[in-house]
């Protein structure tokens, strides 16, 4: 697997990373067998994946605990990325949250510690002071953010090193391209692309919006009439499934599975350091890891761009997957 430098750090990470949210088996994802979760992490390691992303918020620490368990005896060469909740950004809360995450992960240091979402109620200087204290103590190695819009990123990066911005980015979710990607490029902040398979849509396994599990139909792809939606948008279900049909025919032409094409497309986009592909089973992460070697030619990249323009237009400039009133500033 090709390795990329994480921001301006010395850390090198695999282009395909494993996202560990679904391993917690709660909220959006439904039950997850623990042994299968551990086997999935081991399959990722065997496939050459070295970056694993988790968060204290995923299953209230359960994702971190499972990752920590799976990494016992396998910690060398692995880059662990975790995140602190927006509710824990004040100094004392942040230090306590990091200590909990270290215990969950059974490690002495978190390689990349990220602010999960900005919190306008906590002075950013307070958060940064706590992060820098943790860094001095060796409890975290690098600092990053997630879901930061241009203004928040400028404010943060003017006071602290900021190696990465973790953002929702996929063939079907391109809202970050207009303003946030250029800002990251300008500042040398690496992009970690999340929900790169659009929560399974870009594997081609769902034939219609009705076939998608209800807990996943919360995002702005789907109509606000869907029971668990907490946005007010009409959604763009029709555009999404028309785009998927187009992508399917492009994949057929080049003879590659849709998951490979979706993940490889991201690796061809400027500023993307690594693609956080979620997986719940060993065969999924093996399939996802194989995408790293796929080189897409210009014709294919242009065809994929055309296929996803209507969804891009429908989603607009708000990168927030779940809320019409964007939390990005
Ligand atoms: N910073 C943030 O706010 C934020 C938000 C969301 C995610 N993330 C990060 O990004 C990671 C990935 O995003 P995500 O989990 O939302 O979505 P994703 O990577 O787009 O989709 C992952 C899901 O798709 C299915 N899948 C994966 N590979 C597959 C394959 N090869 N074939 C068929 N199905 C496959 C699996 O679920 P099923 O088998 O159940 O279909 C898996 O859980 C997360 O784990 C997390 O680390 C961060």
């Amino acid at each position: 697997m090709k390795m990329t430098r994480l921001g301006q750090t010395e850390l090198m990470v695999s282009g395909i990373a494993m996202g560990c949210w679904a391993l917690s088996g709660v909220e959006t994802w439904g039950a997850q067998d623990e042994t299968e979760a551990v086997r999935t992490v081991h399959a990722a390691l065997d496939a050459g994946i070295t970056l694993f992303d988790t968060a204290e918020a995923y299953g209230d620490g359960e994702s971190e605990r499972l990752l920590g368990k799976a990494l016992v005896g396998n910690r060398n060469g692995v880059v662990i990325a975790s995140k602190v909740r927006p509710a824990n950004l004040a100094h004392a809360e942040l230090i306590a949250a990091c200590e909990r995450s270290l215990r969950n992960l059974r490690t002495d240091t978190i390689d990349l510690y990220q602010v999960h979402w900005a919190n306008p109620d906590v002075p950013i200087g307070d958060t940064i002071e706590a992060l820098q204290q943790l860094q001095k103590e060796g409890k975290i190695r690098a600092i990053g953010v997630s879901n930061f819009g241009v203004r928040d990123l400028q404010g943060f990066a003017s006071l602290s090193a900021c190696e990465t911005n973790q953002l929702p980015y996929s063939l079907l979710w391109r809202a970050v391209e207009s303003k946030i990607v250029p800002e990251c490029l300008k500042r040398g902040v690496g992009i970690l692309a999340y929900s790169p398979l659009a929560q399974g849509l870009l594997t081609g396994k769902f034939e219609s919006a009705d076939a998608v599990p209800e807990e996943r139909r919360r995002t702005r792809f789907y109509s606000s009439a869907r029971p668990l939606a907490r946005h007010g948008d009409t959604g763009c279900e029709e555009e999404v499934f028309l785009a998927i049909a187009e992508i399917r025919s492009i994949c057929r032409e080049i003879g590659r599975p849709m998951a490979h094409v979706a993940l490889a497309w991201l690796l061809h986009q400027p500023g993307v350091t690594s693609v956080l592909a979620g997986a719940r089973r060993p065969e999924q992460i093996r399939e996802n890891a194989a995408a790293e070697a796929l080189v897409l030619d210009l014709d294919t990249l242009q065809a994929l761009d055309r296929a996803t323009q209507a969804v891009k237009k429908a989603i607009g400039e708000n990168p927030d997957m779940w809320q019409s009133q964007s939390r990005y500033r």
Side-chain angles (χ1 to χ4, degrees):
M1 177 99 48
K2 203 168 76 221
M3 306 291 276
T4 325
R5 186 173 300 283
L6 190 81
Q8 311 298 315
T9 71
E10 305 280 282
L11 295 168
M12 299 298 286
V13 295
S14 51
I16 303 289
M18 179 169 162
C20 298
W21 178 18
L23 293 189
S24 58
V26 290
E27 304 134 357
T28 305
W29 300 101
Q32 169 74 36
D33 177 72
E34 183 171 327
T35 311
E36 192 79 332
V38 170
R39 286 182 54 231
T40 307
V41 173
H42 292 166
L45 292 169
D46 291 344
I49 286 176
T50 64
L51 173 61
F52 293 82
D53 179 70
T54 181
E56 59 165 338
Y58 299 161
D60 208 11
E62 187 57 17
S63 165
E64 290 181 329
R65 283 189 285 277
L66 274 165
L67 180 61
K69 184 176 176 185
L71 291 180
V72 171
N74 294 303
R75 181 70 178 89
N76 271 355
V78 165
V79 174
I80 297 179
S82 194
K83 311 184 208 73
V84 55
R85 277 189 170 111
N88 288 335
L89 296 188
H91 196 284
E93 282 79 5
L94 194 147
I95 302 286
C98 183
E99 299 284 359
R100 273 195 307 278
S101 290
L102 286 167
R103 281 194 298 278
N104 287 340
L105 288 159
R106 306 191 200 188
T107 188
D108 300 331
T109 186
I110 294 170
D111 300 288
L112 176 69
Y113 200 45
Q114 306 151 102
V115 175
H116 204 149
W117 286 86
N119 180 347
D121 297 332
V122 178
I124 198 67
D126 202 20
T127 302
I128 287 172
E129 221 178 86
L131 290 167
Q132 288 175 343
Q133 180 185 322
L134 288 166
Q135 200 174 29
K136 270 198 209 98
E137 292 169 355
K139 291 179 178 167
I140 64 172
R141 292 177 75 182
I143 295 170
V145 296
S146 173
N147 299 303
F148 270 39
V150 170
R151 189 148 54 95
D152 280 332
L153 189 60
Q154 284 168 346
F156 193 98
S158 67
L159 296 174
S160 162
C162 179
E163 309 300 347
T164 49
N165 192 6
Q166 190 177 132
L167 297 165
Y169 197 12
S170 74
L171 266 169
L172 293 174
W173 201 275
R174 301 176 56 186
V176 294
E177 287 178 348
S178 58
K179 298 200 176 87
I180 306 180
V181 169
E183 187 66 24
C184 290
L185 283 169
K186 194 170 95 189
R187 294 182 174 274
V189 171
I191 294 167
L192 302 180
Y194 79 67
S195 300
L197 296 169
Q199 300 193 328
L201 287 175
L202 284 167
T203 66
K205 66 183 174 180
F206 301 118
E207 292 297 332
S208 68
D210 289 334
V212 176
E214 183 157 299
E215 308 75 37
R216 289 185 216 180
R217 288 187 310 219
R218 292 189 294 132
T219 66
R220 290 171 48 242
F221 284 137
Y222 306 96
S223 153
S224 59
R226 299 282 182 187
L228 300 177
R230 56 182 159 98
H231 60 80
D233 292 10
T234 50
C236 48
E237 297 180 5
E238 200 183 324
E239 289 90 336
V240 163
F241 281 88
L242 282 171
I244 290 172
E246 278 279 310
I247 296 168
R248 195 189 304 282
S249 84
I250 296 167
C251 294
R252 206 173 289 132
E253 254 170 56
I254 63 170
R256 293 297 288 250
M258 199 184 292
H260 286 192
V261 172
L263 298 174
W265 177 82
L266 277 165
L267 289 172
H268 287 68
Q269 302 312 307
V272 173
T273 300
S274 189
V275 176
L276 309 178
R280 317 179 64 182
R281 293 196 295 282
E283 58 274 22
Q284 289 181 342
I285 199 67
R286 278 194 285 269
E287 167 102 331
N288 298 344
E292 194 270 337
L294 175 59
V295 177
L296 300 170
D297 63 26
L298 191 59
D299 284 350
T300 307
L301 289 168
Q302 285 173 345
L304 290 167
D305 178 54
R306 279 193 303 274
T308 53
Q309 280 301 327
V311 177
K312 183 174 173 175
K313 190 162 169 234
I315 295 296
E317 294 220 336
N318 173 12
D320 195 321
M321 282 172 57
W322 295 276
Q323 293 189 189
S324 325
Q325 195 160 8
S326 183
R327 287 167 286 176
Y328 284 70
R329 295 184 308 166

